[in-house]
Amino acid sequence: MVRLDNLTVSYRQHPALHHISGQFANGSLTAVIGPNGSGKSTLLKSIMGLLKLSGGHVQVSTPRERIAYLPQMTEIDRSFPMPVRDCVLLGCWSALGAWGGVNADMLARADAAIHQVGLEGFDERTVGSLSSGQFQRVLFARLLVQDADLILLDEPFNAMDSRTTAALLELIKHWHAEGRTVIAVLHDDAQVNAHFGQTVLLARELVAWGDTAAVLTDANLRRARTLAEAWDDSADICHTDEALA
């Protein structure tokens, strides 16, 4: 589904991701972990095409409209007084465009998604009036409506209560069972071990990629911490092969 070839992404010419290569198989369920500042969110944004690459390539084998991306909640502005149902219906954007009208089938899909995430009766509530856990359920309902082949989740359980986390994990397992490709940035090693078969461990560079049990070893985790602590943003600028060509 996704192939990375020598991917390098830089901010102010210092690498946030440094020569990353590997592939996410069709239908795989993969966690992306690593210390703070290790490039996890940058990886998802690179796959989405939201960042300019400093070097290498990202190849995605599904059209952009078949990719769903959930950023960190801190990046989402909830001040606009949008009702829950309208927010969920944004999952139909690729079919609607700027001027398309919502039809009965789309409304039915939105209502079914709201029910599936356990928010019946919240249809007309504004998103700004919801708790963090309730709002995250709304965003997952929007992903359900979007019906994507590739789903990218950036810290979807951050600051969530255990009940909400368990419910959202069930949705992720459901997507995986349907053959969708799911890539999730996480920070809870126990959660990764319990629910994700594949793991990518980053520390700006790639530490390990493969079966979760083989990646989450004490040696790999120590190496990731050591690499993260060794990075110096004031160091010499990294010149990629592409920049030198």
Side-chain angles (χ1 to χ4, degrees), residues 11-244:
Y11 298 113
R12 298 181 301 277
Q13 294 184 285
H14 292 281
L17 285 174
H18 195 247
H19 303 300
I20 308 295
S21 295
Q23 58 185 357
F24 297 91
N26 246 324
S28 57
L29 176 59
T30 308
V32 179
I33 67 167
N36 290 337
S38 60
K40 302 183 296 294
S41 297
T42 299
L43 177 63
L44 296 195
K45 291 177 181 178
S46 300
I47 294 171
M48 271 299 296
L50 299 177
L51 298 174
K52 181 180 179 181
L53 307 186
S54 303
H57 304 279
V58 177
Q59 180 182 344
V60 182
S61 64
T62 194
R64 176 70 178 268
E65 61 270 18
R66 300 293 300 167
I67 306 174
Y69 170 56
L70 180 63
Q72 293 184 29
M73 193 174 293
T74 54
E75 299 181 23
I76 300 173
D77 181 6
R78 287 203 275 160
S79 61
F80 187 80
M82 177 180 288
V84 164
R85 180 186 279 126
D86 288 356
C87 183
V88 173
L89 282 167
L90 288 174
C92 300
W93 180 264
S94 62
L96 285 172
W99 310 109
V102 175
N103 58 35
D105 176 66
M106 292 174 180
L107 285 171
R109 286 165 54 199
D111 288 342
I114 291 169
H115 174 80
Q116 190 170 345
V117 299
L119 289 179
E120 307 95 314
F122 284 71
D123 312 47
E124 301 305 322
R125 288 268 300 271
T126 59
V127 295
S129 71
L130 304 177
S131 69
S132 295
Q134 290 167 339
F135 182 56
Q136 195 73 322
R137 288 173 184 258
V138 170
L139 297 179
F140 267 69
R142 188 175 70 185
L143 294 174
L144 282 166
V145 170
Q146 192 169 346
D147 191 29
D149 298 324
L150 172 61
I151 302 170
L152 309 175
L153 308 171
D154 196 349
E155 297 195 10
F157 311 127
N158 194 27
M160 296 296 106
D161 60 84
S162 58
R163 183 167 173 264
T164 299
T165 297
L168 299 183
L169 274 168
E170 286 304 311
L171 276 179
I172 290 173
K173 291 178 184 177
H174 176 71
W175 287 328
H176 179 50
E178 290 181 327
R180 304 177 197 271
T181 306
V182 182
I183 306 171
V185 168
L186 300 171
H187 56 80
D188 185 329
D189 293 354
Q191 197 175 74
V192 173
N193 263 315
H195 301 287
F196 290 79
Q198 297 284 306
T199 297
V200 176
L201 176 56
L202 294 176
R204 299 204 190 188
E205 63 184 69
L206 181 62
V207 178
W209 188 334
D211 292 340
T212 295
V215 171
L216 291 186
T217 64
D218 290 341
N220 283 338
L221 293 172
R222 280 196 304 271
R223 181 165 179 258
R225 287 193 296 269
T226 299
L227 286 170
E229 292 166 0
W231 275 102
D232 180 2
D233 286 332
S234 64
D236 291 340
I237 291 170
C238 172
H239 297 285
T240 67
D241 294 339
E242 187 171 294
L244 293 171

